[in-house]
Amino acid sequence: MALLNISQINSLADDQFVSIFGNVIELCPDAAVQVKKKGPFRTVSELCEAFHKYLDDLTEEGKLSILKLHPDLAGNLTRLSELTRESAGEQRSAGLTELSDWHVNVIQSSNQRYKTKFGFPFIICARENKFQSIIEGLQHRYDNTREQEIATGINEVKKICKLRILDIAQLD
């Protein structure tokens, strides 16, 4: 699919916009519904900022809901090939679909420890990381407070969101 320019994005009907941008924040088409109302956008960067503002404006409960929508890295959904198309590509790019059973066990046990402490999955922009940095992130971030991890997780969601938008839209 050819990348859309900002004029094409602005001319999308509401349902088309949601269909195209409905998963730039994992499994959260409401973000696209709300962002579409903020248009028209002058630039793709402004579109990205609108999605980021959507995240920033959420209550803590809303942010937790967003974080909980994300799959575990190298988790059961990965092994069962039940990730969204976007998540599958991101985990593949980080090498998480090619791990040995030992590596899968390491990451899954680390994920479970993290999830037990914080109440949501560990989120990191997989396209900007590989297995080793993900494991290091899991270990390092485990010492954070819940509030720090909510903020860090949302910042990682913003990175993921921007990269997903750039898979759809050409920069101005």
Side-chain angles (χ1 to χ4, degrees), residues 128-141:
E128 293 181 354
N129 292 277
K130 297 293 183 210
F131 173 77
Q132 191 59 43
S133 60
I134 291 168
I135 289 297
E136 289 168 5
L138 271 160
Q139 293 167 346
H140 172 73
R141 285 174 45 192

Side-chain angles (χ1 to χ4, degrees), residues 150-167:
I150 291 169
T152 301
I154 290 297
N155 283 331
E156 292 297 316
V157 170
K158 288 178 182 179
K159 293 176 189 177
I160 296 163
C161 175
K162 182 176 182 180
L163 290 172
R164 288 181 179 187
I165 289 170
L166 295 178
D167 287 340

Side-chain angles (χ1 to χ4, degrees), residues 46 60 140 165 168:
E46 191 176 286
E60 182 174 308
H140 172 73
I165 289 170
I168 299 166

Side-chain angles (χ1 to χ4, degrees), residues 42-62:
R42 291 177 303 211
T43 64
V44 171
S45 295
E46 191 176 286
L47 174 67
C48 289
E49 289 169 19
F51 275 99
H52 292 178
K53 183 165 176 23
Y54 170 87
L55 290 165
D56 288 337
D57 289 348
L58 291 171
T59 62
E60 182 174 308
E61 183 178 314

Side-chain angles (χ1 to χ4, degrees), residues 2-31:
L3 296 179
L4 300 173
N5 65 41
I6 199 64
S7 294
Q8 292 168 315
I9 292 167
N10 285 328
S11 68
L12 292 171
D14 291 357
D15 61 329
Q16 292 173 305
F17 187 90
V18 172
S19 174
I20 293 169
F21 291 94
N23 203 45
V24 295
I25 296 175
E26 184 80 7
L27 300 173
C28 186
D30 182 62

Side-chain angles (χ1 to χ4, degrees), residues 96-164:
L96 298 178
T97 56
E98 307 299 322
L99 297 175
S100 69
D101 288 342
W102 184 84
H103 285 108
V104 168
N105 287 335
V106 167
I107 204 162
Q108 286 183 345
S109 64
S110 296
N111 275 335
Q112 189 54 50
R113 178 176 173 244
Y114 179 95
K115 200 188 264 186
T116 298
K117 178 176 180 180
F118 295 110
F120 51 86
F122 176 77
I123 299 171
I124 193 167
C125 183
R127 286 204 269 184
E128 293 181 354
N129 292 277
K130 297 293 183 210
F131 173 77
Q132 191 59 43
S133 60
I134 291 168
I135 289 297
E136 289 168 5
L138 271 160
Q139 293 167 346
H140 172 73
R141 285 174 45 192
Y142 185 79
D143 294 329
N144 286 346
T145 65
R146 190 161 193 261
E147 292 73 27
Q148 288 172 315
E149 274 310 290
I150 291 169
T152 301
I154 290 297
N155 283 331
E156 292 297 316
V157 170
K158 288 178 182 179
K159 293 176 189 177
I160 296 163
C161 175
K162 182 176 182 180
L163 290 172
R164 288 181 179 187

